[in-house]
Amino acid sequence: MRKTMLFAALCLGLAGPAAAETLDGQETYDLLFRSGTLDPVGKDKALSYTREVVNALKPESAVRDTGTIRLSFEEQQALMAELEFLQNGKHRGLGKFPASVGNPMIMFFYESVVRDMAEAAGGSPFYIRNRVKEALIRPSEVVEGEATLDGRTVPTKTVVLHPFEGDPNSDRMQGFGELALAVTMSEDVPGWYMSFVAEVPGEEGAPVYRSEIDFESLEAEGAE
């Protein structure tokens, strides 16, 4: 969990002197769901991400969902991006998406958080999904920063969203009313996304829930 301190600082508004820009709702959405992010990757390559989950309400799901996510390409009538989940030598398909639209990892991230919250805290997944969708088109701040990639420093942009801030039902969400979602992006990262973090704070620094997905590597097709 390499970005824990930065994530906490951003969520609490303590990011210090980092440059921040306020975006309107459409600009927020366009930045998060940027199109063309897979175009430079090349169909003979694959992107690898690691996912680590902590879930105090449902620990067995954290074990189930911690592993590697691999994005590769399949050429049909149109080039498709295929997501697979890898764990202990087993593969599970996560879906296929038109590569021309952009990197589907962001859709996987949000949908996995919706599922995890509904599973752990109860409530309607439709309600949860709608609140998350609304957060994606609210004005937000994008914070500029830096990260290390392959031994070099690269510039980043991070957006943090609070889908249930002010929600009248938040006190019935077993802590998930404080859910924060952070997406860190960089032009220098293949596929655009450096990390995705969803976190529900708990007592004494231990989160009730945390899901972190980090970009790991760009590989030749067929490598694992």
Side-chain angles (χ1 to χ4, degrees):
M1 296 184 179
R2 299 171 301 196
K3 303 174 182 65
T4 303
M5 293 182 65
L6 172 61
F7 177 81
L10 287 167
C11 291
L12 295 173
L14 303 175
E21 177 186 359
T22 300
L23 305 180
D24 65 28
Q26 185 62 53
E27 290 170 330
T28 298
Y29 183 89
D30 290 343
L31 181 67
L32 292 171
F33 289 85
R34 188 173 181 179
S35 61
T37 51
L38 294 179
D39 293 349
V41 174
K43 63 182 180 181
D44 59 336
K45 303 291 185 180
L47 302 176
S48 180
Y49 301 84
T50 58
R51 185 184 187 208
E52 186 171 355
V53 182
V54 174
N55 193 332
L57 299 178
K58 206 169 180 63
E60 66 275 16
S61 70
V63 175
R64 178 195 67 196
D65 296 331
T66 293
T68 298
I69 301 167
R70 192 165 182 274
L71 186 157
S72 58
F73 297 96
E74 183 177 305
E75 196 159 13
Q76 300 176 349
Q77 291 182 337
L79 191 65
M80 302 294 288
E82 181 177 11
L83 295 183
E84 282 186 296
F85 180 74
L86 288 70
Q87 185 189 66
N88 299 326
K90 298 180 180 180
H91 296 230
R92 172 164 55 88
L94 299 174
K96 298 180 181 180
F97 310 83
S100 60
V101 174
N103 190 337
M105 282 300 300
I106 190 164
M107 292 182 282
F108 170 79
F109 169 64
Y110 287 124
E111 283 297 322
S112 65
V113 172
V114 169
R115 182 203 65 187
D116 291 351
M117 179 175 169
E119 187 176 53
S124 165
F126 302 103
Y127 183 87
I128 297 168
R129 185 177 292 107
N130 285 338
R131 296 293 80 76
V132 171
K133 285 181 177 179
E134 289 172 4
L136 298 173
I137 55 173
R138 290 178 196 156
S140 67
E141 279 194 347
V142 55
V143 179
E144 296 183 3
E146 294 180 339
T148 301
L149 177 68
D150 297 332
R152 59 194 176 94
T153 300
V154 300
T156 63
K157 296 178 183 290
T158 299
V159 173
V160 180
L161 307 175
H162 300 270
F164 302 103
E165 189 172 42
D167 190 295
N169 297 304
S170 62
D171 60 346
R172 297 189 292 176
M173 295 178 179
Q174 299 194 54
F176 274 83
E178 297 184 54
L179 175 69
L181 307 172
V183 181
T184 298
M185 302 149 277
S186 175
E187 298 276 5
D188 293 273
V189 177
W192 179 238
Y193 302 112
M194 173 160 281
S195 70
F196 306 91
V197 181
E199 185 167 289
V200 175
E203 296 180 358
E204 300 180 359
V208 172
Y209 169 81
R210 182 180 173 90
S211 171
E212 178 167 355
I213 300 172
D214 292 307
F215 172 77
E216 190 69 24
S217 63
L218 173 67
E219 309 167 345
E221 178 65 286
E224 293 187 11

